[in-house]
């Protein structure tokens, strides 16, 4: 029997609070994942651990056809009432873990430096709590857990996951992403764009090469590469609306082997990021034109590999309010802060091409701690109290979403 009487935030005490034994278990589970990070599409151990724990709770998870990642439905799906999906990403990054902690990565040059172990554990915990509520007749609507592989692999594992049918029967979707600038115990919310589009750009330049004493007789590829590196971002800044935030940032430039030899080959690689969908759709043509223009000026032959990544995550306003209601019900309105749009990319955006949804920033900073911790850094770590906050947010959202307003 459904005991929820209202979806007004704070008007009732929602069931589904996290027990202390489960809170402790989830911290242990997260640390185990942290010690055994796996790269995108290689998350076999992680998938097995999730499957085993969900099955132990009496659930029936299904491993995705790709061999890693899984989905798990909780409750009975009424075909007239689409499910709420809760998504986690399960892969790690190819960087070393440089922390000095008992749960430091045991795999060389592999680390959960983006908090995916926290996302995964929070969704697992929410699933375990919701399963118990379902057994008591307190889950008003079926919920689907999605544990997605390969978020860090462009264009993102979400595309393959969606292709496998994980959104069948789903009407809306929610997720969190760790934010080391927000205190543990709080979340950040923003309707509309909350992340940016991110593509990968690779450029090769070729020419005849020659002696540095006679650059006028050949193609000076070092100068050409340097001009592309500096002039392409400057050109784009004058060819698109500045509010689009279109930015090319180079991560690698390589050319030459000797100080007195003009090389025959040079390479540049970096990322293209922008804040809105229209600019993202126009970006490939704009970037190609700018590179070709500068390469031609320097008589260099250019080859461009523009790899589409992910569009911005654009939070649906209604579902953003669902997350606000859920957090307010659990911890009050002061546990919520407004957040800015990040220039980081997130393949959660692909789900939002199919169903409305929203992503919240999950605070992971220990209150009062002034240590700078950033995502994708080898010393990244979290205040593990954030796990319980994620569980509380997800479970409250599932309960409120399934209960009609009166």
């Amino acid at each position: 029997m459904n005991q929820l009487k209202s979806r007004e935030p704070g008007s009732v005490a929602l069931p589904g609070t996290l027990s202390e034994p489960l809170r402790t278990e989830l911290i242990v589970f997260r640390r185990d994942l942290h010690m055994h990070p796996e790269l995108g599409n290689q998350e076999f151990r992680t998938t097995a651990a999730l499957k085993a724990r969900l099955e132990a709770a009496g659930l029936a998870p299904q491993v995705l056809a790709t061999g890693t990642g899984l989905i798990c439905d909780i409750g009975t799906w009424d075909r007239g009432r689409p499910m709420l999906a809760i998504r986690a990403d399960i892969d790690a990054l190819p960087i070393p873990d440089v922390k000095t902690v008992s749960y430091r990565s045991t795999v060389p040059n592999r680390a959960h430096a983006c908090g995916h172990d926290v996302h995964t554990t929070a969704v697992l915990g929410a699933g375990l709590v919701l399963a118990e509520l379902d057994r008591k007749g307190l889950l008003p609507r079926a919920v689907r857990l999605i544990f997605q592989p390969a978020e860090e692999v462009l264009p993102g594992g979400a595309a393959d996951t969606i292709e496998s049918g994980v959104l069948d029967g789903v009407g809306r979707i929610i997720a969190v992403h760790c934010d080391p600038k927000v205190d543990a115990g709080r979340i950040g919310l923003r309707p509309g764009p909350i992340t940016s589009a991110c593509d990968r750009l690779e450029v090769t330049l070729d020419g005849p090469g020659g002696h540095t004493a006679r650059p006028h007789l050949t193609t000076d590829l070092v100068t050409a590469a340097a001009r592309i590196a500096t002039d392409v971002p400057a050109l784009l800044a004058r060819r698109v609306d500045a509010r689009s935030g279109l930015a090319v940032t180079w991560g690698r430039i390589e050319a030459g082997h000797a100080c007195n030899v003009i090389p025959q080959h040079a390479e540049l690689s970096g990322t293209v990021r922008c804040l809105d969908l229209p600019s993202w759709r126009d970006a490939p043509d704009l970037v190609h034109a700018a590179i070709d223009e500068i390469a031609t000026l320097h008589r260099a032959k250019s080859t461009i590999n523009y790899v589409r990544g992910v569009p911005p995550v654009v939070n649906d306003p209604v579902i953003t309010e669902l997350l606000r209601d859920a957090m307010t019900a659990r911890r009050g309105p002061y546990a919520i802060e407004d957040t800015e749009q990040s220039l980081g990319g997130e393949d959660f955006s692909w789900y939002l091409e199919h169903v409305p949804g929203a992503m919240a920033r999950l605070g992971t900073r220990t209150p009062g701690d002034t240590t700078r911790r950033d995502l994708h850094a080898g010393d990244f770590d979290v205040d593990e109290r954030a796990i319980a906050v994620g569980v509380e947010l997800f479970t409250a959202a599932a309960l409120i979403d399934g209960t009609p307003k009166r």
Side-chain angles (χ1 to χ4, degrees):
M1 192 72 174
N2 185 359
Q3 296 180 10
L4 296 176
K5 300 299 183 184
S6 170
R7 66 163 292 175
E8 293 299 318
S11 62
V12 295
L14 292 175
T17 54
L18 196 61
S19 69
E20 196 57 39
L22 182 55
R23 187 188 308 264
T24 300
E25 178 191 348
L26 292 176
I27 291 174
V28 172
F29 190 91
R30 178 257 168 175
R31 292 186 177 189
D32 180 70
L33 294 185
H34 202 85
M35 293 173 66
H36 302 92
E38 297 173 301
L39 298 184
N41 296 315
Q42 301 173 22
E43 311 96 331
F44 296 102
R45 184 185 185 278
T46 303
T47 298
L50 288 165
K51 183 173 183 290
R53 184 60 186 90
L54 292 166
E55 288 177 339
L59 298 170
Q62 302 173 46
V63 176
L64 300 179
T66 53
T68 64
L70 65 159
I71 63 170
C72 184
D73 290 352
I74 303 170
T76 302
W77 176 32
D78 176 352
R79 292 184 177 272
R81 303 184 72 197
M83 287 181 281
L84 173 72
I86 309 175
R87 174 266 198 174
D89 38 10
I90 65 176
D91 58 326
L93 286 161
I95 63 175
D97 188 344
V98 299
K99 299 187 300 298
T100 304
V101 293
S102 61
Y103 49 88
R104 178 178 172 175
S105 172
T106 60
V107 185
N109 299 315
R110 302 286 185 269
H112 269 294
C114 198
H116 293 189
D117 53 336
V118 175
H119 309 164
T120 298
T121 305
V123 174
L124 171 65
L128 297 176
V129 172
L130 292 173
E132 181 61 26
L133 291 177
D134 184 50
R135 283 189 286 272
K136 295 177 179 178
L138 297 177
L139 184 63
R141 182 180 299 188
V143 173
R144 173 168 293 164
L145 312 180
I146 300 175
F147 296 94
Q148 175 213 305
E151 190 276 332
E152 299 287 356
V153 181
L154 288 179
D160 290 336
T161 302
I162 293 166
E163 184 67 23
S164 72
V166 301
L167 292 180
D168 294 347
V170 169
R172 48 181 58 184
I173 188 168
I174 57 175
V176 295
H177 197 294
C178 288
D179 190 336
K181 301 185 298 297
V182 177
D183 284 350
R186 298 171 63 83
I187 64 168
L189 291 176
R190 176 187 174 90
I194 193 171
T195 70
S196 300
C198 179
D199 299 333
R200 188 171 76 243
L201 177 61
E202 298 168 345
V203 181
T204 61
L205 302 174
D206 291 289
H211 201 296
T212 57
R214 292 175 286 279
H216 58 292
L217 299 180
T218 187
T219 298
D220 186 351
L221 283 191
V222 174
T223 297
R227 298 301 297 187
I228 286 173
T230 56
D231 289 356
V232 166
L235 276 176
L236 292 171
R238 293 296 177 267
R239 294 181 178 179
V240 296
D241 190 328
R243 289 171 295 184
S244 73
L246 180 62
V248 173
T249 305
W250 303 103
R252 185 179 71 91
I253 301 178
E254 186 173 331
H257 302 283
C259 67
N260 61 347
V261 177
I262 294 176
Q264 296 177 303
H265 185 77
E267 297 180 359
L268 304 88
S269 59
T271 59
V272 181
R273 299 177 187 271
C274 52
L275 300 176
D276 60 56
L277 279 169
S279 297
W280 181 68
R281 295 188 177 110
D282 294 340
D285 290 341
L286 291 167
V287 171
H288 271 78
I291 293 171
D292 286 341
E293 184 175 325
I294 297 166
T296 299
L297 181 65
H298 290 274
R299 297 180 296 174
K301 179 184 177 182
S302 62
T303 303
I304 303 167
N305 182 27
Y306 194 108
V307 182
R308 268 307 200 188
V310 294
V313 172
V314 181
N315 280 347
D316 180 86
V318 172
I319 302 177
T320 303
E321 284 305 302
L322 169 64
L323 293 176
R324 185 179 299 276
D325 287 357
M327 194 63 175
T328 301
R330 291 296 194 201
R331 296 198 168 218
Y334 301 107
I336 304 165
E337 60 184 67
D338 294 333
T339 191
E340 61 187 9
Q341 183 178 4
S342 165
L343 277 171
E346 232 289 353
D347 77 353
F348 184 69
S349 55
W350 291 123
Y351 297 99
L352 306 187
E353 298 280 302
H354 301 270
V355 295
M359 170 175 279
R361 303 284 186 198
L362 180 66
T364 60
R365 179 179 63 193
T366 299
D369 185 3
T370 59
T371 305
R372 182 182 179 276
R373 301 188 190 278
D374 203 1
L375 303 171
H376 289 219
D379 64 348
F380 176 73
D381 204 358
V382 305
D383 185 323
E384 291 174 312
R385 288 175 290 186
I387 297 169
V389 177
V391 174
E392 292 173 1
L393 177 70
F394 289 141
T395 54
L399 293 168
I400 292 171
D401 180 59
T403 305
K405 287 184 176 180
R406 288 182 176 273

